[in-house]
Amino acid sequence: MENKIDITFDKSIKRIISKTIRTIRKYNLISDNETIAVALSGGKDSATLLFLLWYISKYSYLNFKLVGFHVKTGKYDVSPIANLCKSLEVELKVLTIDMKRVVEHKNICYSCARIKRYAMWEELDRRNIRTIAYGHHADDAVDTFFMNLIIHSNLEVFPPILQYEKVNLSVIRPLIFLEEKTISNIFNKKRLAIVDYKCPYEDKNLRMGFRERVEKLQDLFPEYRVEASIIKALENYFDSIVENVNMDIKVHK
C-alpha cells in the first residue's frame, strides 16, 4: 500500500526550515529559478532532503525547481522513491548501473559511489542541470572529519558547496548542519519511506565503524555536548572561508 505522506503546512518544523534556508542563503547554494537535482539513494536522509527542499520551494520566498535522481544498483522495488516524488509532483529519473563493474574493485563502497556519481553527472550535463543536492548531514560531516584525520592524516571535511569547474557542476549539501536525529524526526513525522534493500557489501563500510566510535566520545566527555561542539566548529570554519572570499572580492573591486 502506498505510504500517505504529510505535505501540509507545518508550523512545528519552522525552526528546521529556517535553519536550512539560512544555510542555503549563507553559502549561495541555490539561485533563483534554478533547477536542482536531488540525489535519492532510497534512504532516510535523501528522502528527507527532497521533502525539505520541496517544502521550502512551496512555502518560502525561494523559487526553484526539483528533479529527483536515483541510481539503481540491484533488483529491488523503487516504488517508495517513486511515490514520494509523485506526492510532491517532482519528476523522477531512475538510472541503472552494472554492479559487476563495482565488485571488481578492492574498495567497493568508494567505487560504487564514484560510478553512481558519474552516471548522474552525465545525465545532468545532458539536461543542462548545474546543481545537485546530497543528503549529507552534520553527523556525516563529523564522521568524515575523523576518517580523514585518522586514515589520511588530513584536516578535511566535505563543505556545504563544492564546485567542479571541469564539468561545470555544483554539489550542495543543504542539511550539512542538521543533526541526524532531527532528520529522523522529520522523516517519521511526515511518514516518508525508504527502499527495502540492504547492500550486500554494507558490512565493509568503514563509515559505520567510525560512527560507532564517534558516538563513544560523548561517554568520555559527559559534561560537554561533544558532537554539537564539533558541528559548530565546522560551521565556524566554513563561515571564515566565506568571509575571506567576500573580503578578497571587496579588496579587488
Side-chain angles (χ1 to χ4, degrees):
M1 184 175 67
E2 182 175 329
N3 197 44
K4 186 66 175 178
I5 299 167
D6 179 9
I7 61 174
T8 58
F9 179 76
D10 187 350
K11 289 184 179 179
S12 70
I13 64 173
K14 181 179 179 180
R15 183 187 64 82
I16 297 165
I17 294 299
S18 296
K19 188 171 185 177
T20 305
I21 291 175
R22 176 173 169 266
T23 299
I24 291 172
R25 285 183 53 82
K26 182 192 292 187
Y27 302 104
N28 298 315
L29 304 187
I30 298 175
S31 301
D32 193 38
N33 295 317
E34 186 178 14
T35 296
I36 306 297
V38 179
L40 298 170
S41 66
K44 163 180 56 65
D45 301 337
S46 61
T48 306
L49 169 66
L50 179 65
F51 174 82
L52 288 177
L53 288 180
W54 169 84
Y55 191 95
I56 289 169
S57 70
K58 183 175 179 63
Y59 294 114
S60 81
Y61 60 89
L62 294 177
N63 182 32
F64 53 90
K65 181 182 177 182
L66 296 169
V67 179
F69 279 78
H70 174 70
V71 181
K72 193 173 182 181
T73 58
K75 295 181 180 179
Y76 53 85
D77 182 14
V78 298
S79 61
I81 302 174
N83 292 338
L84 172 61
C85 290
K86 181 180 177 181
S87 298
L88 304 180
E89 297 183 345
V90 171
E91 178 193 352
L92 172 64
K93 177 65 177 180
V94 178
L95 306 170
T96 303
I97 63 171
D98 181 7
M99 284 300 292
K100 291 180 180 179
R101 295 172 55 195
V102 177
V103 297
E104 292 174 353
H105 294 79
K106 183 177 180 180
N107 192 334
I108 296 175
C109 292
Y110 172 81
S111 300
C112 182
R114 184 174 183 179
I115 291 173
K116 287 196 291 186
R117 182 167 64 243
Y118 287 137
M120 283 191 292
W121 288 8
E122 287 179 358
E123 181 65 16
L124 293 178
D125 185 60
R126 189 183 71 80
R127 294 184 176 215
N128 198 32
I129 297 174
R130 299 304 169 194
T131 304
I132 183 167
Y134 286 89
H136 297 125
H137 47 67
D139 297 50
D140 293 326
V142 173
D143 296 344
T144 300
F145 171 78
F146 280 105
M147 289 174 69
N148 284 329
L149 176 66
I150 294 170
I151 298 177
H152 304 295
S153 302
N154 289 329
L155 290 172
E156 293 183 4
V157 65
F158 42 57
I161 182 169
L162 185 60
Q163 307 278 358
Y164 289 87
E165 295 182 359
K166 288 185 177 181
V167 291
N168 191 20
L169 183 71
S170 297
V171 170
I172 63 173
R173 298 179 174 92
L175 310 186
I176 192 69
F177 300 121
L178 293 183
E179 295 183 47
E180 192 274 338
K181 63 182 179 182
T182 299
I183 293 170
S184 293
N185 288 338
I186 296 176
F187 178 86
N188 294 325
K189 179 181 177 63
K190 295 303 174 182
R191 299 190 293 271
L192 306 179
I194 62 174
V195 168
D196 184 16
Y197 174 71
K198 178 179 172 60
C199 176
Y201 305 100
E202 189 173 309
D203 293 337
K204 298 181 180 180
N205 194 332
L206 280 174
R207 184 175 294 276
M208 295 177 65
F210 268 81
R211 169 88 321 240
E212 293 172 357
R213 289 171 173 82
V214 169
E215 289 175 347
K216 292 179 181 178
L217 286 175
Q218 186 61 58
D219 296 332
L220 298 176
F221 304 95
E223 68 272 32
Y224 301 105
R225 295 183 63 217
V226 174
E227 195 152 355
S229 296
I230 298 172
I231 293 167
K232 186 59 181 176
L234 292 175
E235 185 172 4
N236 290 338
Y237 169 70
F238 293 130
D239 288 353
S240 68
I241 294 176
V242 172
E243 291 174 2
N244 289 336
V245 169
N246 290 338
M247 184 178 295
D248 186 62
I249 291 174
K250 291 178 181 178
V251 168
H252 288 88
K253 275 187 176 179

